[in-house]
Amino acid sequence: MQVHTSEVARLYQTEFIRSARAVGVLWAVCTLCFAVIEVVILIQPSWVGTRQLHYRPGSPPPQAGTLGLFEVCLETDWPVPECRGSLRTLTPLPAFQSPAVLVCISLAMVWASVGCLCLFRFCNAATVYKICAWLQLTAGFCLALACVLFPDSWDCAEMRALCGESVSSFSSGNCTVHWAYVLAMLGILDAAILATLAFVLGNRQDALLPDDVKDVTGLLLAP
């Protein structure tokens, strides 16, 4: 009976190790995808865009375009919009410097967590998971602050030129939030989920060690 119980426990532990490794690989892939999403959030000029407005025939059509942290893009007769800004030099629009800096910090934290994946070959897995979890929590916190400060900065010349004089803080006038801002808010949720999963995986690493390794570790740590 004792032998049978030992075999069942070993089989359960083996399956548990396989499941944990599969979840760890999925977490690493999602972390890499989140890092790519952060780049898209930073560079895309689609945080705010004009609404589809109706106008009288014969009157000039209202200006249409989108706005991001670094560029303002206006629609023209050509398929490619006319963009004004300094994306190449990574100089944000004056009104959105704080959100841009926070998104850059968030981006750096996420890519740092991606770089920490290389440490699994050299360091304890639980330690690496927890380091990545804190980095991802920091990234999510900075991204959340950026999403709050961005609408607070709408009372600026760039927003008035694009969205009308009715623009004020947290009031976009003739504009509405576009997909890049929605993607940033989803990124906050993504960072929270990835950080929580990393903490769980880090705390479960001791349970993944085989019994003989635990016994040896216990003997080495014993006084």
Side-chain angles (χ1 to χ4, degrees):
M1 185 64 182
Q2 185 177 2
V3 175
H4 177 69
T5 303
S6 176
E7 290 178 355
V8 171
R10 186 176 294 276
L11 179 62
Y12 173 78
Q13 187 180 37
T14 302
E15 294 297 327
F16 185 60
I17 291 174
R18 290 177 180 175
S19 300
R21 287 177 177 174
V23 174
V25 171
L26 179 62
W27 169 84
V29 172
C30 291
T31 298
L32 182 58
C33 293
F34 180 44
V36 176
I37 289 173
E38 283 268 14
V39 176
V40 175
I41 291 171
L42 180 66
I43 66 175
Q44 280 297 319
S46 298
W47 284 57
V48 167
T50 52
R51 299 174 181 174
Q52 186 174 2
L53 300 176
H54 300 284
Y55 59 97
R56 296 178 181 178
S59 61
Q63 197 172 34
T66 58
L67 178 145
L69 298 177
F70 295 91
E71 290 181 320
V72 179
C73 294
L74 302 177
E75 295 182 4
T76 61
D77 296 335
W78 295 91
V80 180
E82 178 185 352
C83 295
R84 300 193 303 266
S86 303
L87 180 59
R88 293 181 179 179
T89 58
L90 290 181
T91 303
L93 298 175
F96 304 119
Q97 289 183 355
S98 297
V101 170
L102 287 170
V103 175
C104 287
I105 295 174
S106 177
L107 177 65
M109 294 296 103
V110 174
W111 280 102
S113 67
V114 172
C116 287
L117 299 179
C118 301
L119 298 178
F120 279 107
R121 297 181 60 88
F122 311 104
C123 302
N124 181 269
T127 303
V128 177
Y129 275 126
K130 291 177 182 179
I131 291 174
C132 291
W134 283 112
L135 289 172
Q136 290 167 351
L137 273 182
T138 305
F141 179 73
C142 292
L143 196 57
L145 282 181
C147 289
V148 172
L149 291 178
F150 179 71
D152 187 49
S153 306
W154 283 348
D155 191 6
C156 62
E158 292 83 4
M159 283 290 293
R160 289 196 190 95
L162 183 65
C163 306
E165 294 297 328
S166 60
V167 168
S168 62
S169 296
F170 296 97
S171 177
S172 59
N174 298 329
C175 294
T176 183
V177 294
H178 268 210
W179 62 269
Y181 185 76
V182 176
L183 191 63
M185 291 190 291
L186 293 176
I188 300 170
L189 180 62
D190 192 10
I193 294 174
L194 289 175
T196 303
L197 185 58
F199 276 124
V200 172
L201 291 172
N203 292 330
R204 293 292 181 89
Q205 283 304 302
D206 291 337
L208 300 180
L209 293 175
D211 293 334
D212 52 352
V213 176
K214 288 183 179 179
D215 295 338
V216 172
T217 305
L219 292 174
L220 292 175
L221 297 178

